[in-house]
Amino acid sequence: MSGKSAHKNCLLKVIILGDGGVGKSCLMNRFVNNHFDDHSFHTIGVEFLNKEMKIKNEMYTLQIWDTAGQERFKSLRTPFYRGSDICMLTYAVDDKSSFQSLGMWKNEFVYYSDIKDGSAFPFVVVANKVDISEEKRQVSEVEARNWCKENGDLPYIETSAKDAINVDVAFNMAVDIWSQLEAEMDKQGMSNDTIRIDPNRNGKREACCGL
Amino acid sequence: MEEEIWKKYVRSMSEEAGATLDLRVQEIDNGWFERFGTILKDRNDEEITKSCTVDTGEAPKAIEDEVPEIETDEAKIIISDVVGLNIEELYRVVLYEIIHTVGADSDNNDKESLFQYLQDAFKMDEEKHSEALAEVREKEAPSILLNVEVIQAKELYPKDANGLSDPFVTLYLNHNSSHRYNTSVKTETLNPCWEEYFSLPAEDASEDSLVVEVWDFDPAETVSEKIGKFSGVKGVRGLRKLMKEIAITASTGKHDNEMIGVISIPLKSIPSSGHVKWFSLEKKSSRTTKRGAIQLKLGFSSEKNNQVAAQEHRHLMRLIVLQEMEHNKPDLQTWDGSFEGPADIILRQHAAQSGLRPADEKMAQWVEFIRLHTNQPLNFKMFSSIILSVTDPLNNGLYSDDEMKLFWDGTKRLLPSIFQGIRKLRKTYTPDKNCLIQLDAMLSIIAELSKLEVADNIDLFPSSIYGWLQNGEKKAPTILECLDDAIKQSASEWFVQLVESTRPAEVSSENLLQHAVKITQQVRGDLQRSIEHFDKIFYTRLKVQYAIMSYRIYDEKIAELVEPLVTEVCSTMKQLKFKGNTPDIENADVDPLTMGTSLFELYLALQRCLMLGQGLFPVGSDDFKMSKYHIWFYKGVRHWLDMAVFKATQRIAKAVELDDLKPVDNMTKFSSSPVDTRSIFHQIKLFWNQLAWPDVENSFTFVAKIMDDICRCSVFYAEKMGEKVASLGDVENSFGKSFVITNEWCLAVNNIDHVRQSIQPFTHELGVDTIVKNLSEVSNAAQADHCRETLTRLVENSVDTVQNKIIELMETMAMKMSPSIKRFLLEGAEIINQDNNHLDRLMSYLEENVGTLYSQLSDENFARILAILWDNVYNILRETVADGLERRRPPVFFENLNTTLDLLVSFFKQKETVEGNESYKKIKTDIQLHGMSTDQLILTYYLERLSEQTALNNPSYGMMTVKMQLILAHSLLRIEILNCRNLLPTDSNGSCDPYVKIQLLPEEKFSGVTKPRTKIHKKTIFPLFDETFQIQLSKEQAEMKSALVHFVVKDQDFLGIMSSQFVAESFIPLADIPITTMETSIHEMKQVHLQLTKPTSFDSDVFLALEHRSGEKLARDFIKRQKAKVHQNNNGKH
């Protein structure tokens, strides 16, 4: 009923982390623009795209932040971690070392984002580049799932930004987990009748710069 | 120049920030941003004061750091020179010349005064003077002179405790043994070299012999001890004192010197052509010991030997200079080397009478002035003018080898003071004109010297003095190489000294950073002075790029000092504590190191130092170590940005707290805090502009981060603003508690909007366009576009997010108004049968608040809140309707609501919005229907049926044909029912016994009017009635617009009329019936085919509204009847 001028944007900040070259930008571009560029450049510092999405009958704008994986950009990207609602940890299945870096990425995120409780945060582990031939694969699904299990039972999904496999699923999965955690948080908030520990959690719409 | 630009820049920046800022906001962090933003400004002032204090404080200390060895060496030379002065002989020579003055001087000058001057200069007592004068007056010019050059000695017998001697030579002719000639003393050597000249009057060349004695000077007292004795009295006075003692010693022969050896040479043994020969020394007392040998050049001539004359001139010059220095005290800073009065006359007489050339005089000046200079610094301007007149004769070979050697010896003594001067240059903080003149002179001396070829046997740069020369091992450096080294060394030494003298007492990172800042600034100051004062002189004289040479040294030294420090500090900096997403203000660490201010100061200092370097050296400045300075700070930038958010948040909180929610002036509709907040953004921008991060890729990311932070701060501001007004506007009066929109609320909205509006322009101010442009150069256009888009999105999202905050605040307002609106609405609706004032209180409440909003908010925001309020009011109205229905409020309740709704729609200017809106339509219908009387409702029901009937395409209940006419003049309705077709059979046998009943609706308006009916036709679904009826109406009834003619087709049951079954019905508005005169026959009327219908469903709004009134008999009966129509029919079908 309200006029367009009074329309509100609910922003949800999603951050994609992972080693350089695992295809973070490609995942983002596939998801947002359904486009794949074989010869994309490395990301400078940060970059982000918006994508509208309906969650439980409410429209959200996913603000997807793509970070630079290269080590030299480290001090440039970490300031952007703060205020994230969702974190996607990515690696490429044909790159063992990118898989081995996952722990580092998770720690870096937890440290710099100042989130109180890493275990109650919506992480998703994304194994990209499953389009490659089986012999090139360096990280098996079993191995990856084990890692996820050991690191707080993180949800795991295999994608290919190139062949458009599971990319939407991965993002939807992340949003679902966020939504679940959010609902739990709300429930807790109501049943306990206590003041929210983290005021940011309920401020969906200012997620991008939520103070 | 550059300084000015920066100053202007800072000034304009701070002016731009506006003057209305609340200083108390800055106070909470002691002006953290301002310190960042205006570091430059402060520093400029500070630098000036600093350089002043340094001028008086540090500089003099620095000047005292003379090189001690030089002093000692020079002192030795002076002593030996003075000792060697053949005072008495020279005295006689000059007296003789005065008596026999030549040229113009003789007449004009009183000889007595010249004698007086001379006696004083030579420190001759009266007795000696008279004796010498008497002797000289009688003296005839000798016919034959024995010219002796004492060249050198070797393997002398050591006399002193240190195994060496301080030898000098005394010579005299046997027959005149009181007339002795002495050489200078050579200190601490057994192989002295004198190369001194003497002319002795050889009156009896056949019998006489030359006695040459070699002495050890005063073995009881070493030279060093002697120096100690006189070092207490410095300068000319000290020299004079020493000389006086020596003079007495020499003239009386009462010295404690010890003889090393002697040789007596008969004059007749000397060939007339002269010879150079070694003579073994003997000693009478001990024949056995070897006493060493001396080399002499011996010869005869009739005139005074030129070399002797030149040497005399030098000695005379030496004495006169000293005399002049003591008595006439010329200003040494400007003295040009000339004399006046007796001194001038005596010197000129000596030169003229000894046949000396100008070149000889100049050489004497050069040698003797330098000799004095080493003890009593003279000005270089004078030296530079002397050397200009010496170089030509030098190049033209006018000087003997010995004189050449004297020249270079002198030069060798002069050079250290020149290099010393150059090395000390940067200690002069505010060089005056004289300083620059001296520098110019020094450099011109070097320029002249560099053109000369240095004699092979001269070591111009002995390592004992030039320890700082960098090519130590290499062969002797050229004078220009030496200058290069001096410049470099100077910069290097100055730097080291600067570092040492400013080194903090307590070693902490903060102190070290401040130390580095100080050093960098001082270096920059030095470079600026160099450029301003010295560079041009160096370049003009020698094409030497002084400033750049210094810069290169500093560049390396600073990098060496600062890089490890900064890297260390940056990597150990404590991360700021954040509480959730807000900086933890309460537990903030206020340690200046954590604040990062000093680090930033250092950054700026380096930046400006580098700029200076790049200005000096536009090409190739990439080689500078400092050109990578920003990389050292890499890790610090994140910290600064965090700090900026941290501080900004703190300040915003304070700004909101201090905001009294009054417009800042008559022109504006916002209060103080958004101005403060914008100024905080401005400070962040200032910081960013100052940072001027040189690397493009990083710049982009930093800007993105800053934009993100600005958004954070804006949202934070919005929240704080919202909290501030949250409790305002609650009023309580006779009507109860209520909420009134106050100006403060509007200001809050405007404030947030004001901050929001600053976000977009902020991007430009951050120089995003430039960054993107540079990116496309460094990387490629596609990637640059990417980055631009990212920033654009970031800004858009930021603006949106703050917009959301505004909307939230508006929603809060609307929500706060809700209870009042609801109450007034309800109260208004409940007022039954009174004047139309049921709306008054609601509307006046709305008008009051909307009025405030209208007067205070921008058009855009007013439209927004109007929409939100409308939304809210509409929902409340809807709830009220629902509630009213629930509680079965009377129709007037809804009728009131209906008028209210219409009024609200126009009040909120929502006509366009509600048009076509289903929800609105529904509620509008609802309140309209529920607001009607039951009769009206029933009529409405019939009208609805009529429209259904008209819309029907497929008459499944059959058709009816009639002719109708309304004779309005007589209020007579005439109807002919012709037939019905395709009636739906009600009987099980597939047929029925139909008849048609006519009645007029609404029933209550036509009560008493006949309801005629046709005959019953048996067993047909196509009955042909052909019956005409006349229905008499009243005039009012005939003219009733909304009246309907209602045809009901019924099936006569076997039980009779009373239990007839409903078959179908049809409606036609009375108004549709053609109006005719009485004369018109019904047969002339057109046939009208009416479709027959039945009630199909009972869920229409009208029907539901009727059902809602089932408590009312009329409605209840009606509903029953209507439902029966379907019911009976269904039964019939079975």
Side-chain angles (χ1 to χ4, degrees), chain B residues 1019-1079:
Chain B
K1019 307 256 181 287
T1020 173
I1021 52 170
F1022 291 94
L1024 295 170
F1025 297 110
D1026 294 323
E1027 288 180 57
T1028 304
F1029 305 98
Q1030 298 213 76
I1031 301 166
Q1032 183 61 54
L1033 303 171
S1034 69
K1035 194 173 182 311
E1036 292 74 31
Q1037 286 171 332
E1039 287 171 354
M1040 195 181 279
K1041 294 275 181 262
S1042 61
L1044 291 173
V1045 181
H1046 187 197
F1047 302 94
V1048 187
V1049 184
K1050 291 195 164 187
D1051 178 16
Q1052 156 110 73
D1053 210 322
F1054 56 95
L1055 291 173
I1057 295 285
M1058 289 311 289
S1059 57
S1060 302
Q1061 278 189 19
F1062 173 82
V1063 176
E1065 57 193 341
S1066 193
F1067 304 90
I1068 184 159
L1070 184 60
D1072 284 4
I1073 295 171
I1075 296 164
T1076 63
T1077 57
M1078 198 61 178
E1079 286 69 39

Side-chain angles (χ1 to χ4, degrees), chain A residues 1-3 5-11 13 29 41-50 61 63 65 72-80 82-83 111-114 116 198 200 205-211, chain B residues 575 578 580-583 634 638 642 697-698 700-702 704-705 708 711-713 715-716 719 775 779-780 782-783 786-787 790 793-794 797 800-801 804-805 807-808 811 864 867-868 870-871 874 913-914 917:
Chain A
M1 191 64 195
S2 54
S5 55
H7 171 71
K8 274 196 284 187
N9 258 341
C10 296
L11 281 167
K13 180 168 169 181
N29 273 307
F41 311 95
H42 70 79
T43 306
I44 294 175
V46 289
E47 201 178 287
F48 79 85
L49 291 174
N50 286 345
T61 302
Q63 191 180 54
W65 288 76
R72 69 189 175 99
F73 289 117
K74 179 174 171 179
S75 70
L76 297 181
R77 63 177 178 250
T78 53
F80 293 94
R82 206 171 284 137
Y111 181 74
Y112 286 106
S113 64
D114 284 330
K116 280 271 180 309
D198 182 355
N200 178 49
R205 59 183 68 86
E206 60 265 25
C208 81
C209 2
L211 268 165
Chain B
Q575 210 196 333
F578 276 70
N581 278 318
T582 323
Y634 199 73
R638 177 198 150 94
D642 269 359
E697 289 192 356
N698 292 342
F700 159 71
T701 319
F702 289 149
K705 165 75 178 145
D708 201 32
C711 174
R712 251 168 222 269
C713 291
V715 170
F716 179 77
E719 278 170 358
L775 260 179
S779 183
N780 59 55
Q783 193 143 15
H786 237 76
C787 291
T790 294
R793 270 192 292 273
L794 194 54
N797 284 1
D800 274 3
T801 309
N804 286 348
K805 283 283 153 194
I807 292 167
E808 263 176 44
E811 282 172 349
R864 268 189 202 118
I868 291 170
W870 160 250
D871 229 18
Y874 176 75
T913 330
V914 296
N917 183 294

Side-chain angles (χ1 to χ4, degrees), chain B residues 332-453:
Chain B
L332 299 183
Q333 295 289 313
T334 54
W335 184 53
D336 64 356
S338 65
F339 299 108
E340 285 176 353
D344 180 47
I345 294 165
I346 291 166
L347 280 170
R348 278 198 280 124
Q349 280 301 322
H350 183 263
Q353 296 189 32
S354 306
L356 290 176
R357 302 161 300 177
D360 294 324
E361 289 177 71
K362 286 293 172 192
M363 183 58 81
Q365 283 181 348
W366 182 251
V367 173
E368 292 307 322
F369 290 173
I370 288 172
R371 198 185 300 276
L372 179 67
H373 174 74
T374 51
N375 198 269
Q376 175 71 58
L378 303 175
N379 76 79
F380 291 98
K381 177 90 180 136
M382 176 198 73
F383 285 115
S384 79
S385 76
I386 297 173
I387 199 170
L388 280 173
S389 21
V390 171
T391 44
D392 272 353
L394 270 173
N395 287 329
N396 296 332
L398 290 185
Y399 295 117
S400 68
D401 286 353
D402 294 324
E403 278 169 322
M404 290 289 268
K405 190 164 181 300
L406 273 172
F407 170 80
W408 283 113
D409 277 341
T411 305
K412 184 173 165 182
R413 284 189 216 166
L414 179 67
L415 282 176
S417 77
I418 290 180
F419 289 125
Q420 186 87 351
I422 288 166
R423 285 166 65 192
K424 273 197 265 178
L425 204 53
R426 50 178 34 89
K427 285 168 186 159
T428 327
Y429 276 81
T430 41
D432 55 13
K433 202 176 160 210
N434 184 52
C435 168
L436 299 179
I437 291 172
Q438 292 301 316
L439 174 64
D440 185 55
M442 286 191 263
L443 295 178
S444 97
I445 294 168
I446 289 180
E448 288 303 317
L449 288 174
S450 68
K451 289 181 215 155
L452 300 173
E453 206 170 306

Side-chain angles (χ1 to χ4, degrees), chain B residues 296-337:
Chain B
L296 301 170
K297 182 182 178 186
L298 300 169
F300 295 100
S301 74
S302 57
E303 276 181 14
K304 194 192 275 183
N305 182 309
N306 185 45
Q307 283 165 332
V308 173
Q311 182 176 294
E312 273 175 4
H313 196 73
R314 289 197 295 273
H315 289 177
L316 182 62
M317 178 85 76
R318 193 180 309 169
L319 287 165
I320 283 175
V321 163
L322 288 173
Q323 175 72 8
E324 285 295 300
M325 289 300 137
E326 191 175 15
H327 292 285
N328 292 339
K329 296 190 178 75
D331 180 2
L332 299 183
Q333 295 289 313
T334 54
W335 184 53
D336 64 356

